[in-house]
Amino acid sequence: MSKFKKVRLRRSAAIASSLAAVLVLAACTSGGSDTAASAESTEPVKVGVLTDMTGAFGIVGKSNEAVAKFTINEINANGGVLGRQLEMVLADSATDAAIATQVANRLVNQDKVAVVVGGVASFTRVAVRDVIADKGNTIYIWPASYEGGECSTNVWNTGSAPNQQVDPTVEHLLAEGNKTFFLAGSDYLYPRNILARVRQVVEAGGGSIVGEEYVPLDMTDPSNLVSKVLAAKADVLFEVVVLPGTAPFIKGVVDGGYKGKIAGTLFDEGINPLIGAQAEGLIGVQDFYLSVEDPFTKSQVAKFNEQHPEAAGLFSATFNATAWYRSFYLWKAAVEKANSFDTAEVNKAMDSVSLEQSIGGPVSFEPGTKHVNLQMYLGESKADGSNVILKSLGSIKPLECK
């Protein structure tokens, strides 16, 4: 072989070796924040907190922000996630779908967060889920009790599904001999779908719907709706009228002389003080009340109140405080199970993670549903704003996404 050919072969081998090294490196570093780079980095991991700090649901947003801070600080104090500290990036969705879309886009594309937790009203979730989870290829956790049906790619749900709240409430009322129901709600996705579930369970149980009315989201004068409720003389008023209309509506019905039961999905220590003495006797099912006796729950809520006096009285199921708390810990468990912050890997792990301890009780994702098994409680409101637990219902599976 000539000297020229030997040199050319050596050069070809060197080029091939270099090319192979480049391809291996590319394979190891592709796919965003995959295992090798993210697990070994010591830089903080940004997590997005999306909530309504202003607008109609501003009081809920203040609770959400405080619970997020509390949980993230607790995780950081115990070593973070895969040895990395979490850095909270707060975005105000302002109770406005257009603004929510803008700030969600910023969280994903400018702040480069590893996960987004948040949303108060369902119209926010619908507005931001594609920006975050689809186009942004980022894990999005919806931490709120809601109307069901959210099965999108990269979206996980940590609040109560309709069957977990509605079914046991209606079944309890029917068992007490109540047969006729009047349905009332604010005119948007959540109340309409919740009340559709109420209708389904009532009629399946032999009851009947004698009226159904919806009012604008910003309603403050409920007099017309109150008149219709009183005229119907139903055994049960099942209502999902949200803030700011909740208190004036219930006060109007009670003060107007309504004698039936009032039930809903939004009654607890967060809402009841706004209603006042007319909250006496309200019925509902939640994943948390302050009267839950679980030692871990009582200890954690006491710590929260001590660390966040500005949010005193705002740790409640109706403000989704428990769902916010469990969201960060379930995501943490999935990241650590996957040993990666990569979206695809975290998705695989998330489907089966669980927490033996969480505020309100143990929680786990029900495989194949993208929703959680939750400890649920049948509660009755008192005039002083508190709730008593009539019955601990145990863990209830979500009937979603199958």
Side-chain angles (χ1 to χ4, degrees):
M1 182 182 296
S2 70
K3 185 176 181 180
F4 174 75
K5 286 183 177 179
K6 288 180 180 179
V7 170
R8 187 171 62 182
L9 286 172
R10 284 197 296 270
R11 286 178 178 172
S12 298
I15 291 169
S17 177
S18 298
L19 180 60
V22 169
L23 290 173
V24 169
L25 180 61
C28 291
T29 58
S30 64
S33 54
D34 208 348
T35 52
S38 61
E40 294 175 4
S41 173
T42 58
E43 291 294 315
V45 177
K46 292 181 178 181
V47 293
V49 169
L50 177 72
T51 191
D52 298 342
M53 298 301 296
T54 55
F57 299 141
I59 187 173
V60 182
K62 290 178 174 63
S63 170
N64 297 162
E65 179 193 22
V67 177
K69 284 182 178 177
F70 174 78
T71 312
I72 289 168
N73 287 341
E74 186 175 76
I75 290 171
N76 284 340
N78 288 285
V81 179
L82 294 184
R84 297 174 63 179
Q85 295 286 285
L86 302 182
E87 178 184 332
M88 184 176 111
V89 183
L90 177 66
D92 179 12
S93 40
T95 322
D96 184 288
I99 294 174
T101 302
Q102 293 171 9
V103 297
N105 184 69
R106 189 200 75 204
L107 286 173
V108 172
N109 295 305
Q110 181 177 320
D111 297 312
K112 305 291 185 183
V113 298
V115 61
V116 176
V117 178
V120 176
S122 290
F123 60 74
T124 298
R125 185 190 75 255
V126 172
V128 305
R129 65 187 174 195
D130 290 341
V131 172
I132 298 169
D134 186 5
K135 297 183 181 71
N137 191 35
T138 299
I139 296 287
Y140 175 38
I141 301 178
W142 169 248
S145 58
Y146 83 121
E147 71 283 349
E150 180 55 76
C151 307
S152 305
T153 301
N154 298 333
V155 179
W156 298 85
N157 307 271
T158 58
S160 304
N163 73 286
Q164 293 168 315
Q165 283 191 287
V166 169
D167 294 23
T169 304
V170 172
E171 289 163 3
H172 168 76
L173 292 165
L174 290 171
E176 286 190 328
N178 300 291
K179 293 297 183 183
T180 58
F181 287 67
F182 190 102
L183 311 183
S186 300
D187 193 7
Y188 74 101
L189 186 64
Y190 171 65
R192 282 189 173 275
N193 284 19
I194 286 292
L195 293 177
R197 180 74 185 186
V198 173
R199 176 182 285 275
Q200 179 183 346
V201 181
V202 166
E203 293 177 346
S208 62
I209 306 301
V210 296
E212 184 169 0
E213 295 287 336
Y214 294 91
V215 293
L217 182 61
D218 59 354
M219 179 206 68
T220 55
D221 178 7
S223 55
N224 186 46
L225 180 58
V226 168
S227 296
K228 291 180 179 179
V229 172
L230 296 177
K233 297 181 179 180
D235 297 331
V236 177
L237 164 63
F238 201 111
E239 73 90 43
V240 193
V241 175
V242 302
L243 298 173
T246 311
F249 173 53
I250 292 175
K251 287 180 178 180
V253 170
V254 173
D255 292 345
Y258 180 68
K259 302 301 181 185
K261 292 278 189 177
I262 301 177
T265 56
L266 300 173
F267 303 139
D268 76 346
E269 300 88 354
I271 296 295
N272 293 350
L274 303 177
I275 300 171
Q278 293 90 340
E280 179 75 35
L282 302 177
I283 295 290
V285 169
Q286 300 286 1
D287 58 29
F288 169 75
Y289 292 107
L290 285 174
S291 51
V292 170
E293 289 297 326
D294 162 40
F296 179 82
T297 295
K298 294 183 77 68
S299 172
Q300 289 298 93
V301 174
K303 289 178 185 176
F304 173 82
N305 289 334
E306 180 181 356
Q307 293 178 26
H308 292 276
E310 80 283 1
L314 299 184
F315 197 102
S316 71
T318 50
F319 291 171
N320 299 302
T322 43
W324 277 80
Y325 181 84
R326 71 176 72 102
S327 292
F328 291 104
Y329 273 105
L330 287 166
W331 173 75
K332 175 180 184 289
V335 170
E336 291 176 344
K337 182 177 180 179
N339 193 35
S340 171
F341 292 96
D342 178 71
T343 295
E345 296 303 317
V346 175
N347 265 323
K348 292 177 187 176
M350 190 85 91
D351 192 52
S352 58
V353 294
S354 62
L355 304 173
E356 291 184 8
Q357 288 186 314
S358 190
I359 297 175
V363 61
S364 60
F365 272 106
E366 175 67 14
T369 70
K370 303 177 78 75
H371 291 70
V372 285
N373 299 304
L374 288 174
Q375 305 293 316
M376 304 300 292
Y377 307 90
L378 176 67
E380 183 178 60
S381 303
K382 311 307 288 184
D384 63 2
S386 65
N387 273 82
V388 296
I389 295 175
L390 300 179
K391 186 178 181 181
S392 294
L393 302 172
S395 181
I396 299 180
K397 290 185 178 183
L399 303 179
E400 298 290 331
C401 303
K402 284 193 171 183

